[in-house]
Amino acid sequence: MNSFFAVFSQHYSLDTLKSHVSRVRSSGRRNHIFSLSGTSSSCMASIVKCRNLSKNQLGGVIFGCTNNTKSECVTKKLFGLPAQHFSYVKNIEPGLPLFLFNYSERKLYGIYEAVSSGKMYIDSYGWTSGGSERTRYPAQVQIRVRLECQALSETLFKPTIVDNYYSQNHFLFELDHVQASKLISILTSLAFAPSVYTPKNSPKLLSAKQRFPLSIQRKETQAPEPPYFKDDFANSHDHFGTLGNSDDSLCLNGYNLLMEASLVNKNAEPEEKDLIHMKLKELARHRQHSAAAITGQSGEVTYMEDVDLEHETYENGMSTLGNRNNESPCHSLDSYATIAQLCQEMEELKAFKQEQTCKMGTLEKKLAEAELEIRRLRKVCMRFESVPETSMTIGASTGNETAVESPDLNELIFLVGGYDGVSWLKALHSFSPVNDVLKSLKPMSTLRSYASVAKLDEELFVFGGGDGSLLYDTVESYNPVNNQWTLRPSLNRKKGHLASATIHGKIFAVGGGNGAECFSDVEMFDSDVGRWISTRSMLQKRFALAAVELNGALYAVGGYDGIDYLTSAERFDPREHSWTRIESMSTRRGCHSLVAMNEKIYAIGGFDGIEMVPSVEIYDPRVGTWMTGDPMKQSRGYSAAAVLKESIYVIGGLRDNEVLLDTIERYREDVGWEITQKRSVGKRSFASAIVFHND
């Protein structure tokens, strides 16, 4: 198991949740937990900031350099990144567009393309002083220049990849096809135009007469054309010219060949003249290939008929070449650039149209959901209008706030913090399952998710958790009588995904973790002492565990110990002041819920190290064994659960590691599990739930 979901990811966004979970599925191991800081420890693995695009989704990659390393990148035709980036560098295939970002200048260079697959240690000593040590950038790929362009300043390319920025000056290097295409379009417009200037005293080509064949069958190259060209550039092989070997990487459109020819010295050796002749012949082939692509010819290609190269000046040769194609090289270059730009714009229009179609479908779906919600709310309003005003009042006004009256407290489930699919919450809500009404109460002082909640002295205590990037040691309590929050003494250290229970007027905060390690610690809050006191630790480290009180004893069940998900469970008896093991569950589970009802303990859902599960196990302390209960209708973890009036309510959570749920399931012993039609809560995950019981 490579990750422990997005609660400990760098960004704490739902997109990051999905990307990390997809890596979880592809791995199958259970030996790491992600660190908030991106650093590793004995039981944790560092996070690499990346989008985790699949090979089909990857449209391009940006590599980094500085003024000190740029020259070596270009000279060796080799780009590299630190080893952690190999997770996506390995997806690079020949032909994939690449770009080079100079951190010193904050400029983007291109257009490059891969000529090898992404590999580790192509050059084990690259970018080091005299090869004295192993390279710090082993995730490497060999490259060639596709098109030389002016560098783009960050202000010009940032809007194109703005979604990749995770801070003011740092961005993710993976590009999807749309982003890569837009960058290519911008850089293409800034391409260095090849020179067509010929000196007045241009030398003559002295090689013997040669003729191109009148027509030949177009041959397949040994290396297949990269899929990227075929799919995204409408055979831009024909628009930009045939790509040569690595030594000809600057001759991407064919016209640089003319530059080389025009600058040959009069006294060139025969070998050089032959080479120039071959290049001019290759240019002619490229020109005809392009013409064939534009006119729709895909089979036979007719080349120039009778090109007499003997005793002709290079200037005349270039002129002949232009005349035979009824256009000058410069004019043809402009035409090809225009065609390439038009093709690119067509691709962008197609992508835009597809995106708009998806958005329209989403909006139509949301509109239908809104109409259903409006009808439901109308029914609720009609129900309340039919009830006398005195029985409708669930609070008394205290200034601008509304306080919940105590007679109604035992009809409500209180939901604390969490994530609603858009943002992390500091909200506190009261939820009435009977009327399907969600009421907003005074929010907490901070955003708080994956925290724990317990009841003490008729107040709700919320402690630990985090805001999506930071963990807390802070504690605050809520008084439902006056609808006010009060800051309380802090925990001994910052932690999240802990559990809690109240026993004999004392709150026990159990386990959890800080992103770098898992805890077995237990802290106890005594209101008479006014601080948190470290007490007897559990027998095992438990992160994302669940805990509950039953008959004066504290039960801690499941969780993650930094290596694996757990089936084990243990009980704390405050009279003996010790922890003892009880029988283990049959299913590994963390991020699950634990409630007590009718003298039994229910372990509900959670994550088993591979997937979210719907299974339920029931522990009867009188027998000392776990029994398999009826499974929920949906797999879910990170949900909130509470017992109200002989019913267990499981609210929201995550399904299949990535889908945020807005459904509520209810369990009764005589009925089993059923998905209710209650929708007032909406999507909610990483929240805590609690009820006020009659004493």
Side-chain angles (χ1 to χ4, degrees):
M1 176 65 191
N2 276 352
S3 73
F4 198 60
F5 303 112
V7 294
F8 279 95
S9 69
Q10 293 279 349
H11 305 294
Y12 286 81
S13 67
L14 191 55
D15 290 338
T16 309
L17 253 174
K18 295 179 179 179
S19 68
H20 284 316
V21 168
S22 66
R23 286 185 8 201
V24 169
R25 286 177 166 173
S26 65
S27 178
R29 297 180 60 198
R30 307 183 181 98
N31 61 343
H32 292 317
I33 179 172
F34 278 121
S35 165
L36 287 171
S37 63
T39 59
S40 61
S41 68
S42 58
C43 66
M44 312 298 166
S46 62
I47 296 178
V48 177
K49 286 185 171 67
C50 56
R51 296 177 62 185
N52 285 306
L53 298 178
S54 67
K55 187 173 292 187
N56 291 333
Q57 295 170 328
L58 190 65
V61 173
I62 297 174
F63 284 76
C65 72
T66 64
N67 285 339
N68 296 329
T69 60
K70 181 175 182 294
S71 176
E72 184 172 349
C73 291
V74 176
T75 303
K76 289 187 175 180
K77 294 184 172 61
L78 186 71
F79 289 172
L81 286 172
Q84 300 93 322
H85 294 263
F86 189 62
S87 60
Y88 60 87
V89 171
K90 67 183 180 182
N91 291 333
I92 295 177
E93 293 184 338
L96 188 75
L98 305 176
F99 308 89
L100 189 63
F101 178 68
N102 189 330
Y103 281 95
S104 303
E105 302 174 347
R106 307 297 297 181
K107 289 184 178 180
L108 189 72
Y109 288 83
I111 306 167
Y112 305 94
E113 71 173 18
V115 295
S116 74
S117 301
K119 300 176 183 178
M120 291 291 286
Y121 293 105
I122 295 175
D123 183 348
S124 300
Y125 300 95
W127 307 283
T128 61
S129 179
S132 57
E133 57 185 9
R134 295 274 282 183
T135 182
R136 294 167 53 195
Y137 313 104
Q140 300 170 356
V141 62
Q142 293 173 305
I143 63 98
R144 65 157 57 109
V145 180
R146 178 187 291 185
L147 188 64
E148 263 195 315
C149 308
Q150 300 178 37
L152 284 179
S153 64
E154 190 168 15
T155 55
L156 294 179
F157 72 78
K158 184 174 182 178
T160 302
I161 62 168
V162 66
D163 292 339
N164 284 27
Y165 275 80
Y166 58 89
S167 72
Q168 184 66 26
N169 296 316
H170 296 84
F171 54 86
L172 306 180
F173 289 162
E174 294 166 274
L175 304 175
D176 55 40
H177 289 287
V178 174
Q179 291 173 323
S181 297
K182 289 181 178 178
L183 284 181
I184 290 173
S185 179
I186 296 171
L187 285 165
T188 301
S189 66
L190 300 174
F192 291 113
S195 172
V196 293
Y197 170 75
T198 305
K200 292 182 179 179
N201 300 319
S202 54
K204 294 183 178 181
L205 186 61
L206 301 178
S207 59
K209 279 189 180 181
Q210 295 189 29
R211 296 174 179 267
F212 291 112
L214 293 176
S215 78
I216 65 170
Q217 187 70 25
R218 188 174 185 174
K219 296 180 180 180
E220 296 292 333
T221 59
Q222 291 182 353
E225 191 173 40
Y228 181 84
F229 292 149
K230 295 178 181 177
D231 297 339
D232 298 304
F233 277 88
N235 290 327
S236 58
H237 166 90
D238 293 319
H239 297 175
F240 292 110
T242 304
L243 298 175
N245 58 32
S246 59
D247 293 332
D248 293 328
S249 60
L250 296 179
C251 305
L252 296 174
N253 52 27
Y255 292 105
N256 286 336
L257 296 169
L258 295 178
M259 292 168 52
E260 295 181 20
S262 65
L263 298 176
V264 171
N265 191 284
K266 281 184 178 181
N267 300 319
E269 295 296 327
E271 295 81 6
E272 294 176 321
K273 292 182 290 184
D274 292 341
L275 176 62
I276 294 168
H277 169 72
M278 291 175 63
K279 289 188 175 181
L280 283 173
K281 186 165 67 173
E282 183 181 358
L283 171 60
R285 288 201 304 271
H286 295 170
R287 293 287 302 278
Q288 292 296 334
H289 287 179
S290 298
I294 296 170
T295 58
Q297 297 174 8
S298 60
E300 295 288 328
V301 179
T302 303
Y303 292 122
M304 296 185 300
E305 292 189 20
D306 188 11
V307 181
D308 188 353
L309 299 177
E310 186 174 9
H311 305 304
E312 288 188 284
T313 64
Y314 289 100
E315 183 175 5
N316 291 335
M318 291 169 60
S319 176
T320 301
L321 185 62
N323 292 334
R324 290 183 183 273
N325 288 277
N326 298 320
E327 60 180 356
S328 68
C330 183
H331 177 72
S332 180
L333 175 62
D334 293 339
S335 299
Y336 294 155
T338 301
I339 293 170
Q341 185 175 356
L342 289 173
C343 291
Q344 181 60 38
E345 290 175 357
M346 284 294 294
E347 292 300 322
E348 291 179 4
L349 284 173
K350 289 179 182 178
F352 177 77
K353 182 179 179 181
Q354 185 177 4
E355 181 181 358
Q356 294 303 311
T357 302
C358 292
K359 286 183 178 180
M360 186 66 69
T362 303
L363 289 174
E364 290 176 352
K365 182 180 179 180
K366 288 184 177 180
L367 180 61
E369 293 175 351
E371 291 175 350
L372 292 174
E373 183 68 8
I374 290 171
R375 287 199 292 268
R376 188 192 66 78
L377 290 174
R378 283 176 178 170
K379 292 179 181 179
V380 173
C381 290
M382 292 175 62
R383 190 186 311 139
F384 275 105
E385 288 173 357
S386 64
V387 178
E389 185 176 353
T390 55
S391 63
M392 286 174 55
T393 304
I394 63 171
S397 177
T398 58
N400 294 327
E401 305 293 344
T402 302
V404 181
E405 291 184 347
S406 56
D408 301 302
L409 293 180
N410 294 318
E411 303 287 336
L412 305 173
I413 297 174
F414 288 82
L415 294 173
V416 184
Y419 179 74
D420 64 1
V422 178
S423 58
W424 303 93
L425 308 173
K426 60 179 179 180
L428 173 67
H429 292 100
S430 65
F431 169 59
S432 171
V434 175
N435 300 314
D436 192 17
V437 173
L438 188 73
K439 183 177 180 61
S440 295
L441 303 173
K442 186 173 182 178
M444 295 176 285
S445 60
T446 56
L447 303 174
R448 199 183 293 267
S449 299
Y450 40 89
S452 192
V453 60
K455 185 171 78 74
L456 179 65
D457 299 332
E458 300 304 320
E459 292 192 18
L460 302 181
F461 280 68
V462 184
F463 36 91
D467 66 353
S469 60
L470 297 175
L471 287 175
Y472 305 143
D473 57 4
T474 57
V475 180
E476 48 190 316
S477 67
Y478 173 77
N479 188 330
V481 176
N482 58 19
N483 193 32
Q484 295 295 325
W485 287 92
T486 304
L487 287 177
R488 296 292 184 176
S490 297
L491 298 166
N492 292 321
R493 57 176 167 178
K494 298 177 181 179
K495 60 182 74 173
H497 270 291
L498 66 167
S500 65
T502 303
I503 304 176
H504 303 316
K506 297 178 178 61
I507 298 176
F508 289 81
V510 183
N514 63 3
E517 57 181 319
C518 306
F519 300 147
S520 61
D521 301 356
V522 179
E523 299 184 41
M524 180 185 71
F525 179 75
D526 189 333
S527 57
D528 294 333
V529 177
R531 63 186 180 89
W532 291 88
I533 303 169
S534 295
T535 184
R536 184 65 62 88
S537 296
M538 292 183 291
L539 301 176
Q540 194 164 10
K541 293 179 179 180
R542 298 181 187 273
F543 173 90
L545 75 164
V548 71
E549 180 272 339
L550 180 60
N551 296 329
L554 172 62
Y555 292 82
V557 178
Y560 181 76
D561 65 358
I563 299 176
D564 213 341
Y565 288 87
L566 306 174
T567 60
S568 63
E570 47 191 301
R571 175 176 57 208
F572 177 76
D573 189 334
R575 294 168 297 183
E576 299 176 1
H577 198 66
S578 63
W579 289 90
T580 57
R581 292 190 183 277
I582 62 174
E583 184 181 82
S584 295
M585 299 178 290
S586 60
T587 301
R588 303 174 189 271
R589 63 182 83 227
C591 327
H592 54 297
S593 300
L594 199 70
V595 297
M597 185 177 73
N598 295 334
E599 302 296 315
K600 298 175 185 176
I601 296 173
Y602 290 75
I604 305 168
F607 186 76
D608 66 358
I610 300 176
E611 60 184 354
M612 297 293 185
V613 297
S615 63
V616 176
E617 295 186 58
I618 306 170
Y619 181 77
D620 189 339
R622 294 165 295 188
V623 180
T625 59
W626 290 91
M627 300 173 292
T628 301
D630 295 334
M632 292 183 292
K633 301 298 183 182
Q634 288 183 315
S635 300
R636 65 178 79 208
Y638 291 112
S639 54
V643 176
L644 185 66
K645 295 185 178 298
E646 303 298 318
S647 295
I648 300 174
Y649 290 88
V650 180
I651 302 168
L654 287 179
R655 183 192 71 201
D656 297 333
N657 305 354
E658 54 187 47
V659 179
L660 216 64
L661 295 172
D662 61 356
T663 57
I664 298 174
E665 293 196 48
R666 179 177 61 193
Y667 174 81
R668 291 185 296 178
E669 288 186 332
D670 58 337
V671 176
W673 290 97
E674 59 180 350
I675 297 180
T676 69
Q677 298 304 311
K678 305 179 189 305
R679 292 290 186 271
S680 61
V681 174
K683 293 181 179 180
R684 184 75 68 91
S685 185
F686 312 122
S688 304
I690 195 169
V691 300
F692 277 86
H693 294 288
N694 289 320
D695 293 331

